[in-house]
């Protein structure tokens, strides 16, 4: 599965957040949206990535960006994860992986020589008109929030 190309309309979605409240891409028209996909709540790499976005959150907001984390975990799991690490942005429950598939973030992965289907750590930035502006098909979790912020600072007008 491939990620949407820059300049194409971002696939629409509505998913429940960590409180079970529906969140739709359409709500954020006029803002930059950082849609990041991560495999699992409260695992080492995913925690580093979430904390990186948490630490860059105020600066991302100052650039007019909204951060949305997406995984296949439940809203209940997301609530515990958000509370444990003080995450100030919505975590969306894509339990059937439909949104991950639409964004090319679901596919074949390898671990310890075994192949399996799973969520691929990746990020899509959506511009204020609802078009894909930038994709990161493979992400190093440690400083990804700062990497996305640097891209927005250079490209968001």
């Amino acid at each position: 599965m491939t990620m949407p190309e820059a300049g194409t309309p971002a696939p629409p979605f509505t998913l429940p957040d960590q409180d079970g409240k529906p969140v739709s891409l359409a709500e954020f028209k006029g803002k930059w949206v950082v849609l990041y996909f991560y495999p699992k709540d409260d695992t080492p790499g995913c925690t580093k990535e979430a904390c990186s976005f948490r630490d860059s959150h105020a600066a991302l907001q100052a650039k007019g960006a909204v951060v949305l984390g997406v995984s296949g975990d439940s809203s209940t799991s997301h609530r515990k994860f958000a509370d444990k690490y003080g995450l100030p942005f919505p975590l969306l429950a894509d339990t059937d992986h439909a949104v991950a598939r639409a964004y090319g973030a679901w596919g074949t992965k390898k671990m310890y020589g075994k192949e399996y289907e799973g969520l691929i750590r990746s990020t899509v930035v959506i511009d204020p008109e609802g078009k894909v502006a930038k994709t990161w098909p493979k992400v190093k979790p440690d400083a990804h929030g700062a990497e996305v912020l640097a891209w927005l600072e250079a490209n968001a007008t």
Side-chain angles (χ1 to χ4, degrees):
M1 186 133 288
T2 57
M3 297 189 86
E5 303 239 345
T8 62
F13 63 83
T14 301
L15 291 171
D17 70 5
Q18 64 265 37
D19 298 316
K21 178 182 150 266
V23 174
S24 296
L25 178 60
E27 307 171 26
F28 303 109
K29 192 148 179 67
K31 292 184 178 264
W32 290 89
V33 176
V34 177
L35 187 65
Y36 84 94
F37 294 89
Y38 66 98
K40 187 131 185 65
D41 288 341
D42 212 5
T43 56
C46 296
T47 299
K48 284 179 189 174
E49 185 176 19
C51 290
S52 175
F53 277 114
R54 177 198 64 202
D55 296 347
S56 299
H57 191 252
L60 287 161
Q61 279 188 309
K63 289 303 296 173
V66 174
V67 175
L68 302 173
V70 181
S71 85
D73 293 309
S74 68
S75 293
T76 304
S77 175
H78 284 340
R79 169 49 53 212
K80 288 177 189 164
F81 186 44
D83 287 349
K84 185 173 181 179
Y85 294 100
L87 305 178
F89 46 82
L91 297 177
L92 307 181
D94 184 22
T95 55
D96 64 0
H97 315 295
V99 174
R101 282 186 176 90
Y103 280 87
W106 183 264
T108 304
K109 296 173 70 167
K110 256 188 190 162
M111 187 186 293
Y112 307 120
K114 294 191 180 206
E115 284 193 0
Y116 64 98
E117 292 287 301
L119 202 140
I120 298 164
R121 188 184 311 279
S122 52
T123 300
V124 177
V125 174
I126 300 163
D127 73 16
E129 284 77 50
K131 292 191 172 152
V132 173
K134 171 75 174 155
T135 61
W136 283 269
K138 290 198 163 101
V139 168
K140 290 193 178 3
D142 297 26
H144 189 51
E147 180 181 24
V148 171
L149 175 60
W151 185 88
L152 278 168
E153 286 173 338
N155 294 280
T157 53

